Amino acid sequence: YRISHAGWTGVQLFFVLSGFLITGILLDSRLAKNHYSSFYVRRVLRIFPLYYGVLAITFIVLPAVGRVPASVASDQHHQIWLWTYLTNWAPLFGAGSKTFPHFWSLAVEEQFYLVWPLLIRTRGPAGCLRLCLTVAAASLAVRCLLYWYAVPGHLIYENSFCRMDALALGGVAAAALRIPDWREKIFAASNRFLIVGGLLFFVSMVVTRGFWTGTLAGATVGYTLVAACFTLLLVAIVGAEANASSAWVKIFRFRPLRALGKYSYAMYVFHKPVHDFVGQPLLTMLDFDVSQSVLWSTAYIIIVTAITFAAALASWHVLEKHFLRLKRFFVPDG
């Protein structure tokens, strides 16, 4: 049971990667005259078409044809949280989505995208690094405060302020790699970062009792420790790739892994609906409980993942790539 719940650590990896990539983009283009417009339009072209397409089908098309699943019917009364990327705050008001509960992490991302460029524009890499460390510390402090006041764990988990440390630590890596003296030292020590990250991973697992967010350590420092592990791994990979001297980094060039990365956004969007509207009805029809067998549970996960990948592949070719081609008109001019 706890092993399955450790899957939340993947969200931390997602946030660290996002913080790294977005902060790097913003630092590299901070002197561009179209700094804001290029950034925001390019994010819109990547995120909005699929996201709002799914919402339109769910809340406009399905009701129009009279085929509204129960979870969708429940969400219709408070769908505004989804349309405005505020769904991670909806549980505070008893309005959490049943159809798209996983969209909370995308809401956190969009809120980050909205604010972060405003904070980065006037800062160089060193100033950005200090800002990121401050934000990470503040995020940890907020989690500790909320835990002290016995705020339910799921509200801490989806709170934007409580998840900023992972995004900020990714930003730390991006800023550090743009400080010339630091960059060379980081590249030279890439294998050490890998070792330290691995050791910290095991320390984190012990401290949080298997990455369990229900403990004091797990609900407070655990989030930061996991994010720090992924940040160190990311820096190690970037350094090893730059040096082209570490054989272990070749695993990240594995074509199937790159394919998963390419289609990961649509897989994220589709995985819950595929489970709810394809997998579960099929299991109900067959009167089959996969939870009773590790083998059948694994088989079910593989099958549903394959269906999700196929849907993501179709989404890429039918919709996403056509909007992404428009990015060439919104390149930073400096």
Side-chain angles (χ1 to χ4, degrees), residues 12-22 166 170 234:
Q12 288 296 82
L13 174 58
F14 169 64
F15 284 153
V16 168
L17 285 171
S18 181
F20 176 76
L21 295 172
I22 295 303
L234 176 61

Side-chain angles (χ1 to χ4, degrees), residues 45-54 57 103 262-271 274 306-325:
L45 291 172
R46 181 67 188 103
I47 303 298
F48 280 24
L50 177 58
Y51 181 81
Y52 282 116
V54 167
I57 291 172
F103 280 2
K262 183 176 181 178
Y263 306 122
S264 60
Y265 172 48
M267 291 184 70
Y268 156 85
V269 170
F270 292 142
H271 82 275
V274 167
I307 295 172
T308 303
F309 182 84
L313 184 66
S315 170
W316 175 267
H317 289 286
V318 173
L319 178 69
E320 295 172 71
K321 72 177 184 180
H322 302 293
F323 282 94
L324 291 177
R325 286 172 181 162

Side-chain angles (χ1 to χ4, degrees), residues 7 20 47 58 73 85-87 104 106 135 175 183 199 201 206 214 218 238 243 261 292 295 299 312 325 331 334:
F20 176 76
I47 303 298
T58 303
Y85 283 107
L86 294 172
T87 189
W104 74 268
L106 187 56
V135 170
R183 182 184 179 89
L199 292 174
F201 178 85
V206 172
V238 173
N243 293 333
Q292 300 302 314
L295 177 62
R325 286 172 181 162
V331 177

Side-chain angles (χ1 to χ4, degrees), residues 11 14 49 85 111 128 138 146 148 212-213 218-219 278 286 297 300 305:
V11 180
F14 169 64
Y85 283 107
Q111 292 159 33
C128 178
L146 294 181
W148 176 265
W212 187 246
T213 57
V278 179
L286 297 175
S297 295
Y300 176 77
T305 299

Side-chain angles (χ1 to χ4, degrees), residues 44-286:
V44 165
L45 291 172
R46 181 67 188 103
I47 303 298
F48 280 24
L50 177 58
Y51 181 81
Y52 282 116
V54 167
L55 293 187
I57 291 172
T58 303
F59 296 113
I60 299 175
V61 177
L62 291 183
V65 298
R67 298 181 63 86
V68 183
S71 61
V72 173
S74 174
D75 283 356
Q76 280 182 309
H77 302 294
H78 39 76
Q79 59 182 279
I80 186 63
W81 297 97
L82 289 163
W83 290 97
T84 56
Y85 283 107
L86 294 172
T87 189
N88 64 310
W89 297 104
L92 285 170
F93 305 93
S97 174
K98 294 183 178 180
T99 310
F100 305 111
H102 57 304
F103 280 2
W104 74 268
S105 56
L106 187 56
V108 171
E109 279 283 315
E110 290 301 304
Q111 292 159 33
F112 171 70
Y113 293 163
L114 182 64
V115 176
W116 203 237
L118 306 177
L119 300 177
I120 299 299
R121 181 68 186 267
T122 59
R123 290 176 169 84
C128 178
L129 190 147
R130 290 191 292 271
L131 171 67
C132 290
L133 290 173
T134 301
V135 170
S139 182
L140 173 58
V142 170
R143 277 200 310 276
C144 292
L145 182 64
L146 294 181
Y147 188 87
W148 176 265
Y149 281 101
V151 173
H154 72 281
L155 297 181
I156 294 175
Y157 184 77
E158 297 184 9
N159 186 294
S160 296
F161 299 109
C162 293
R163 304 310 293 264
M164 284 298 116
D165 51 347
L167 290 156
L169 288 176
V172 167
L177 288 171
R178 284 164 175 78
I179 300 175
D181 291 343
W182 290 32
R183 182 184 179 89
E184 296 304 319
K185 293 177 181 178
I186 290 171
F187 284 172
S190 59
N191 288 335
R192 295 178 186 175
F193 279 105
L194 178 65
I195 295 171
V196 173
L199 292 174
L200 184 59
F201 178 85
F202 287 108
V203 170
S204 303
M205 186 166 58
V206 172
V207 169
T208 61
R209 300 181 186 177
F211 304 114
W212 187 246
T213 57
T215 65
L216 169 61
T220 54
V221 71
Y223 286 81
T224 305
L225 288 174
V226 172
C229 292
F230 287 132
T231 301
L232 290 169
L233 173 61
L234 176 61
V235 171
I237 292 171
V238 173
E241 189 70 30
N243 293 333
S245 59
S246 299
W248 61 267
V249 80
K250 293 180 180 179
I251 190 174
F252 297 100
R253 302 178 196 145
F254 192 40
R255 184 169 294 179
L257 285 180
R258 289 178 174 268
L260 286 176
K262 183 176 181 178
Y263 306 122
S264 60
Y265 172 48
M267 291 184 70
Y268 156 85
V269 170
F270 292 142
H271 82 275
K272 183 65 166 57
V274 167
H275 169 67
D276 288 347
F277 304 133
V278 179
Q280 287 285 40
L282 182 60
L283 293 176
T284 300
M285 182 179 67
L286 297 175

